[in-house]
Amino acid sequence: MTTMAAQETPAAEQAASRPAVAEIRRHELAAFLRHRREHIGPEQVGLPRGRRRRTPGLRREEVAQLSAVGVTWYTWLEQARPIQVSVQVLDALARTLLLDPVERAHLFRLAGAVDPTPATACPSVTPALRAVLAQLEPFPACLQNSRYDILAYNRTYGMLLCDLDRVPAEDRNCMILSYTNEEWRSSIVHLADAQRLMAARFRAAMAGHLGDPAWKMLLKRLRAESPDFCEEWDRHEVVAHRTKRKEFLNRHVGLIVVDHTDLWLGPETGPRMVTYAPADEVSRERLVRLHGIALERAG
C-alpha cells in the first residue's frame, strides 16, 4: 500500500498544481495586457488625447471598444478572473494593442491558446534556412508547416505556380491555393489527383490537431469556400507524405516536370523544407529561365 501511494503521489501533485498554474497564467496575462495598454498613446490608435486624460496610455473602455468586446469582460480579463478567452478576441486585442509577432505569441501562450493566423514570422524560419532556400535556386523550394502554411520560399518557387508575392499572407497556404486560387490551380497539370492527395494528407495530419483552433478554422474555411474540397474531405481518405513526381504548367516557361521531396526539420508532424528537383534536362533549363525572370522582377 505504501509503495502504491508513493507511485500515485506525483500524479496527484500534478493534478493539484494545475489550478495554481492556471491562476499564475491569468495574473501574468492580466499584467501583460495592463502594461501594454498603459504604454500605448491614444494617438497611436487614432484617438484624441484630450485635456482631462489622467490614465497613462489607453483606458480600459477604449481597448474594449477598439477590440469590439464588452468593457466589463475586458475589465475581468485585466483582473485575472477565470473567464474563457476565444482566439478571435485574442487576435482583436493583439491588433488593438499593436503587439509585434513576439508579443502576440506571448499573449496566446499566456491565454493557453493557439494563434490561428498563418505564421508569417515563424521561429523555425531562421536566417540560415532562408540562406539554404536561396542556395537551392534555380530549383524551387519553400518551408511549410504541417498545416500547409507557406512560411518562406525562394524566388523560383515564388513564380512556379503563381506570383506568390502578390498573394496576401493569410492566403499563402497550399490547401487554400489549390482549392481557391485559379492561377495556382491552372498550373497543376493533374489537379484532381493533387487535390485528392492533399485532402488525404491533410486529414491524416489533422488527427494530431483535432482540438487546435488554427486547424479547425482552416478546415471551416476550406469547406465554406470549396465544394471540391468538401467532396474530397467526405471520402475520409488518409495517406502519408511521400516523394512524388509532379507536373506544372508554368505561364512563363511552359511544362516543368519535377520530383517533390520533403526534408523534415524536426518531428514528422512539424515544419519541413519542400524541394522540387527537375526530372529532366528540359525542365532544368526551364527552371533556370524561370529563375532569371524572377530575378528581373526582383531587380
Side-chain angles (χ1 to χ4, degrees):
M1 293 295 289
T2 303
T3 302
M4 184 176 295
Q7 291 176 342
E8 291 175 352
T9 298
E13 289 178 351
Q14 289 180 3
S17 69
R18 287 181 193 133
V21 172
E23 184 176 358
I24 292 172
R25 283 181 177 272
R26 289 198 305 271
H27 282 279
E28 286 291 328
L29 176 61
F32 180 65
L33 290 172
R34 190 161 53 249
H35 179 274
R36 291 300 300 144
R37 172 175 62 82
E38 293 174 351
H39 286 78
I40 295 179
E43 303 90 349
Q44 292 178 264
V45 293
L47 296 176
R49 175 167 290 277
R51 295 182 178 180
R52 297 184 178 181
R53 178 178 294 270
R54 286 180 282 182
T55 303
L58 297 177
R59 301 185 181 99
R60 284 176 175 171
E61 57 266 27
E62 290 171 334
V63 173
Q65 180 181 0
L66 291 169
S67 304
V69 300
V71 177
T72 301
W73 186 91
Y74 179 76
T75 300
W76 286 351
L77 196 57
E78 280 202 7
Q79 291 174 344
R81 297 201 186 188
I83 58 176
Q84 294 295 319
V85 190
S86 70
V87 293
Q88 291 84 0
V89 167
L90 291 171
D91 177 69
L93 290 173
R95 295 175 188 274
T96 297
L97 298 174
L98 307 177
L99 302 186
D100 64 26
V102 175
E103 292 168 332
R104 179 186 174 97
H106 184 63
L107 172 71
F108 275 81
R109 280 196 299 269
L110 290 177
V114 178
D115 191 344
T117 61
T120 55
C122 178
S124 62
V125 184
T126 64
L129 285 174
R130 291 186 184 276
V132 171
L133 289 177
Q135 289 296 316
L136 287 173
E137 292 177 336
F139 299 166
C142 71
L143 297 177
Q144 295 180 19
N145 60 17
S146 57
R147 202 171 59 240
Y148 285 99
D149 294 326
I150 301 172
L151 309 177
Y153 52 92
N154 62 17
R155 294 183 184 92
T156 315
Y157 186 90
M159 296 287 292
L160 183 62
L161 290 100
C162 73
D163 188 347
L164 199 53
D165 288 344
R166 294 180 178 271
V167 175
E170 62 270 19
D171 293 341
R172 290 178 193 165
N173 174 284
C174 290
M175 294 292 295
I176 294 294
L177 292 167
S178 295
Y179 281 98
T180 67
N181 184 290
E182 286 307 314
E183 184 179 355
W184 186 281
R185 290 157 54 87
S186 65
S187 298
I188 302 175
V189 174
H190 304 290
L191 178 62
D193 291 341
Q195 288 178 329
R196 185 170 184 175
L197 182 62
M198 288 190 70
R201 286 178 174 177
F202 183 66
R203 180 179 284 280
M206 191 170 180
H209 303 272
L210 294 177
D212 190 321
W215 286 73
K216 291 192 290 186
M217 289 179 68
L218 176 57
L219 177 60
K220 181 179 180 180
R221 179 179 175 184
L222 286 165
R223 291 187 68 91
E225 296 184 12
S226 174
D228 290 340
F229 174 80
C230 292
E231 182 178 345
E232 298 298 345
W233 188 252
D234 291 340
R235 293 176 185 269
H236 289 268
E237 295 177 336
V238 293
V239 65
H241 285 267
R242 63 178 185 271
T243 298
K244 188 177 187 297
R245 179 155 293 186
K246 296 186 176 183
E247 298 180 27
F248 300 122
L249 188 60
N250 183 268
R251 63 191 181 100
H252 298 287
V253 299
L255 180 67
I256 298 174
V257 184
V258 294
D259 289 321
H260 163 270
T261 303
D262 289 319
L263 305 175
W264 300 96
L265 306 179
E268 194 164 306
T269 55
R272 64 188 182 275
M273 181 175 292
V274 179
T275 63
Y276 293 116
D280 51 57
E281 190 58 33
V282 172
S283 295
R284 179 186 296 271
E285 293 173 357
R286 289 176 177 174
L287 285 176
V288 171
R289 286 169 49 199
L290 183 61
H291 179 238
I293 294 171
L295 287 176
E296 290 178 3
R297 293 202 170 189

